[in-house]
Amino acid sequence: MNQQIVDNVRAWTAVQARDRSFDGKFVTGVLSTGIYCRPSCAARHPKRENVRFFATAEQAEAAGLRACLRCLPNDVARDEAAVKTIIDAIRMAESAPSLAELGERTSYSPTHLQRIFKRETGLSPAAYARAVRRERVKDALDGGASVTEAIYDAGYGSASRFYEEQKKGRKMGMKPGVWKNGGAGVTVHWAIVETSLGAMMVAATDKGICCLSFNEGEEELRDRFPKADLRAGGDAFAKLLAQVVAQVETPGRPHNIPIDVQGTAFQEAVWQELRKIPEGETRSYADIAIAIGKPKAVRAVGSANGANHVAVLIPCHRVVRSDGTMGGYAYGLEIKTRLLEKEAK
């Protein structure tokens, strides 16, 4: 980012929110103290008239400022490189490397390494490694491997280790055998309800919402779960449905609506980042790519957005193009616009 295109209004908003997704995109120069900081610096906010924004640390230093000793803005590039090293190491390894081993590779202490990795990806290295293993299981199942073959080929030392993770809530979504067989044996309750945004379809397994879409019906649901047992409504489902409708109609309220989705490790990292975007705000595809430690994967972020089948609860409508235009939306730009307008109120 060149200095001349730093958006001062957006930059100041990011500083006030201590938004980590802007770290590395610009630095905040505090003229009254002679230092420059990350946008997310935890120090007390300076007065706006004492602030000047710089695209790079080099520009700030050329203006006579020195790096903040609290947030260490010069370490942003080093942190990003460390995160990339960890991701590559996990993906290349047959079994997950330990935190100590990853620390040796990056010259970070295990504690600091864990903190920066989770900050950048939304996952701990161990959780990321589990997501990679689940991704390998899914790919192997989709390729025709047996469940046992898929589990061992993914790097699990035993089948019991895989199922132990599922019991502890580190779930893949549906069990691997069920995934391979198109949802066979899974009961999905569903309904279509009228909202201020139009007809909304909501479907859920016993673990949570597995589909939320607009202007779709049973045919589209069967395309997603061709062998599942689809059942209309139900008392328990009605309560969950009411929660979802309330969240769509009055966004911004805190909720703990359970979600049962599955994606690749990359998709899950994107979806977690989407859920961090505050109501009424937007991020660009590039912002999301940077936030998950994959700054060049802007198109892949767009694809992960499109692979999200739980609208609103995983708020892909809050992602726009870098120039501020709306971009695409699976259910039409009118619904996307109206969702953002609702959240901005």
Side-chain angles (χ1 to χ4, degrees):
M1 178 183 288
N2 295 322
Q3 184 176 0
Q4 62 266 26
I5 63 171
V6 173
D7 184 331
N8 287 338
V9 174
R10 192 178 185 190
W12 180 240
T13 299
V15 169
Q16 290 180 306
R18 293 189 172 90
D19 191 335
R20 292 185 182 278
S21 68
F22 284 86
D23 287 357
K25 299 181 72 173
F26 67 87
V27 295
T28 307
V30 184
L31 305 184
S32 56
T33 60
I35 66 170
Y36 65 92
C37 306
R38 302 186 190 210
S40 66
C41 185
R44 181 179 177 181
H45 286 141
K47 293 181 179 180
R48 178 63 183 89
E49 60 265 27
N50 294 329
V51 171
R52 180 183 172 193
F53 299 109
F54 298 88
T56 65
E58 289 77 12
Q59 290 173 354
E61 290 177 1
L65 303 179
R66 64 186 185 280
C68 172
L69 296 179
R70 182 168 184 173
C71 67
L72 302 175
N74 284 333
D75 282 354
V76 173
R78 184 181 172 218
D79 289 353
E80 290 178 350
V83 169
K84 183 180 184 303
T85 296
I86 297 169
I87 289 173
D88 291 343
I90 290 173
R91 287 195 165 276
M92 293 296 292
E94 291 186 6
S95 59
S98 69
L99 197 57
E101 291 171 337
L102 293 173
E104 290 180 3
R105 286 173 178 254
T106 58
S107 299
Y108 279 105
S109 71
T111 301
H112 186 61
L113 181 64
Q114 173 113 329
R115 183 165 58 250
I116 66 165
F117 190 85
K118 189 166 186 178
R119 183 184 70 207
E120 297 298 325
T121 68
L123 300 170
S124 68
Y128 186 87
R130 290 193 294 272
V132 168
R133 288 201 299 268
R134 293 196 300 270
E135 179 183 335
R136 289 173 180 169
V137 171
K138 176 185 176 298
D139 289 344
L141 291 171
D142 288 344
S146 69
V147 172
T148 301
E149 289 173 337
I151 289 172
Y152 280 98
D153 288 347
Y156 287 94
S158 66
S160 62
R161 179 67 179 276
F162 175 83
Y163 290 108
E164 180 185 356
E165 284 193 1
Q166 314 315 303
K167 290 179 181 178
K168 289 181 178 179
R170 302 162 182 167
K171 62 185 180 61
M172 180 179 172
M174 294 183 185
K175 292 181 180 179
V178 174
W179 175 269
K180 183 178 180 180
N181 292 307
V186 171
T187 298
V188 176
H189 288 91
W190 69 286
I192 295 176
V193 60
E194 285 298 324
T195 71
S196 61
L197 299 170
M200 179 175 72
M201 181 176 70
V202 181
T205 67
D206 60 351
K207 296 177 181 177
I209 303 297
C210 60
C211 183
L212 192 162
S213 63
F214 295 94
N215 301 317
E216 291 188 339
E218 185 175 357
E219 182 179 352
E220 289 82 3
L221 188 61
R222 287 198 180 278
D223 285 342
R224 294 188 177 103
F225 305 103
K227 296 184 180 180
D229 178 15
L230 301 186
R231 298 184 185 181
D235 292 340
F237 177 74
K239 182 178 179 180
L240 185 61
L241 178 63
Q243 290 180 276
V244 174
V245 172
Q247 187 62 31
V248 171
E249 297 292 9
T250 54
R253 64 171 61 189
H255 71 85
N256 59 352
I257 298 172
I259 297 175
D260 185 10
V261 294
Q262 178 196 11
T264 65
F266 181 88
Q267 288 171 338
E268 290 181 3
V270 170
W271 297 341
Q272 287 201 36
E273 199 62 36
L274 296 183
R275 299 184 76 180
K276 295 179 184 178
I277 304 174
E279 292 86 357
E281 296 186 18
T282 60
R283 299 288 184 270
S284 70
Y285 296 100
D287 290 337
I288 301 299
I290 292 169
I292 64 171
K294 295 277 189 177
K296 296 182 179 180
V298 176
R299 289 187 179 180
V301 166
S303 296
N305 254 28
N308 168 36
H309 298 306
V310 182
V312 184
L313 301 182
I314 299 178
C316 53
H317 63 278
R318 295 177 190 156
V319 183
V320 298
R321 291 175 177 159
S322 295
D323 62 5
T325 57
M326 295 294 281
Y329 191 59
Y331 310 111
L333 291 183
E334 181 181 354
I335 289 180
K336 181 173 184 176
T337 300
R338 291 169 66 188
L339 277 168
L340 291 173
E341 287 174 348
K342 273 179 173 285
E343 295 181 348
K345 292 180 180 179

